[in-house]
Amino acid sequence: QTPETVEKISVTVTLQDDVITAVSVSGNPQKRESEEYQSKFIGGISSEVVGKSIDEISVSRVAGSSLTSGGFNQAIETIKAEAAA
């Protein structure tokens, strides 16, 4: 959620024994500023989470983007719930 609007991202992770081996994030930003921050986030997220346990992932700021991090963390919680089902 941004001050102007709600933007969405799509998150896909590949897991092996609960460890993230790959991550893909895509978005469809509606505002130019959102496009900038989402792009920076997408470019920096792999180095933050690949090789780490999905249970320990919680990002706060990636490449200067803090709002995209919140959406990413929500997506990780959804992914963990789906994986447990």
Side-chain angles (χ1 to χ4, degrees):
Q1 187 166 349
T2 71
E4 300 86 23
T5 186
V6 174
E7 301 279 358
K8 295 185 179 195
I9 59 171
S10 176
V11 177
T12 303
V13 296
T14 303
L15 298 170
Q16 183 173 350
D17 298 323
D18 294 332
V19 173
I20 296 174
T21 59
V23 62
S24 172
V25 179
S26 61
N28 184 20
Q30 303 302 306
K31 302 284 184 181
R32 190 175 65 179
E33 187 176 29
S34 295
E35 183 176 3
E36 175 187 344
Y37 283 114
Q38 282 186 21
S39 177
K40 288 180 179 180
F41 181 90
I42 290 167
I45 190 61
S46 285
S47 64
E48 295 286 326
V49 301
V50 170
K52 297 182 180 173
S53 168
I54 192 167
D55 293 324
E56 297 171 1
I57 296 301
S58 180
V59 296
S60 60
R61 189 175 201 90
V62 175
S65 177
S66 56
L67 297 178
T68 308
S69 297
F72 180 83
N73 290 332
Q74 289 176 347
I76 290 296
E77 290 304 315
T78 301
I79 290 167
K80 288 192 315 190
E82 290 175 358

